Amino acid sequence: MSTPSTPPPGPAGPRIRSVNTARAKAVGYTSTESGLTGIDKRPVAGPVRVTAPPGRGTGGVSGLADDFVGDRRHHGGPDQAVYAFAREDLDRWETALGRPLADGCFGENLTTTGIDVSGALVGERWRIGGSLLEVTCARIPCRTFAGWLDERGWVKRFTEDAAPGAYLRVLEPGEVRAGDPVEITHRPDHEVTVAFLFRARTTAPELRPRVIAAGGALGSEDLERARVWAKAAG
């Protein structure tokens, strides 16, 4: 497993490099009944409205206006309203894969610079533009992600890297745009980062009893898992 290395932020500080949305796209590698995916996200110009989406399975959009969600069983909803991924990690993957990777190509809504997204604590709050977002959970790689990138053994490689990027919920709606600073307004007092949670769910089950420390900041499904893990550990 490699350790993500995010350089110290420059004078401008942590910031949004691009805001990315997708239209519905028909593909042959998704397991959705419709055959449609929203993983092909592209940077958009100007401000984008961010609001808390309805419950999972009840809509075809994410927390960003005009952004399509194809697999409504496993994606979208209030706990996965916005997905952020660090440009620094995309740069690492460019080197590893030997191919260019555009902003948004990992399906992220927000491509960031100057912030270790996977090192963010569950419950950490980010003020971006007019919105306030809260880190909830990690992205788990799926069949659609693997098919989209078309890289051999992609799910295993991404899992072993353990820099999955973060999902966020919307606490205060507002507009975001490329160039907006990312202001961390709250950092909770526990050890459960997005990468920690991801490893607990995948390659490091010994971490599972400690996930409960993140409490109600966890997404609802992860909170349910954490309670089970804590109870099993006694």
Side-chain angles (χ1 to χ4, degrees):
M1 179 188 71
S2 63
T3 301
S5 177
T6 302
R15 163 168 318 269
I16 301 301
R17 175 183 166 99
S18 68
V19 179
N20 317 300
T21 63
R23 295 183 177 181
K25 182 175 183 176
V27 298
Y29 47 74
T30 182
S31 59
T32 62
E33 292 183 4
S34 67
L36 299 176
T37 179
I39 199 169
D40 183 11
K41 301 201 188 298
R42 309 287 181 92
V44 296
V48 178
R49 183 74 178 172
V50 178
T51 57
R56 182 177 293 173
T58 61
V61 295
S62 70
L64 274 69
D66 300 321
D67 182 43
F68 180 76
V69 173
D71 186 351
R72 303 176 196 177
R73 300 166 301 169
H74 302 113
H75 300 288
D79 295 332
Q80 295 183 9
V82 180
Y83 176 48
F85 199 80
R87 181 64 240 184
E88 292 85 354
D89 288 324
L90 283 174
D91 290 342
R92 290 191 303 106
W93 280 115
E94 278 194 339
T95 299
L97 300 178
R99 57 186 269 200
L101 297 172
D103 294 347
C105 73
F106 274 25
E108 77 271 15
N109 298 116
L110 304 178
T111 308
T112 67
T113 59
I115 185 169
D116 181 2
V117 175
S118 296
L121 293 163
V122 172
E124 189 170 301
R125 294 179 181 179
W126 299 356
R127 173 70 66 181
I128 305 174
S131 70
L132 182 65
L133 309 179
E134 184 176 67
V135 175
T136 57
C137 55
R139 187 254 195 87
I140 304 298
C142 62
R143 173 181 171 183
T144 300
F145 190 22
W148 165 242
L149 281 187
D150 194 24
E151 292 284 346
R152 184 183 297 273
W154 176 246
V155 168
K156 181 179 180 181
R157 293 183 70 179
F158 187 82
T159 299
E160 290 176 344
D161 187 69
Y167 280 114
L168 303 100
R169 62 170 61 95
V170 180
L171 298 183
E172 296 177 12
E175 291 185 338
V176 299
R177 69 178 73 205
D180 279 345
V182 179
E183 178 190 0
I184 300 173
T185 65
H186 171 70
R187 284 179 63 86
D189 185 19
H190 60 68
E191 65 178 332
V192 186
T193 64
V194 172
F196 185 106
L197 175 60
F198 180 81
R199 292 176 59 222
R201 286 193 58 181
T202 57
T203 62
E206 68 275 10
L207 300 179
R208 290 175 178 175
R210 293 154 57 186
V211 170
I212 194 64
L218 291 162
S220 58
E221 292 181 1
D222 280 319
L223 179 57
E224 184 177 346
R225 290 188 188 95
R227 287 170 173 162
V228 172
W229 292 337
K231 184 176 180 180

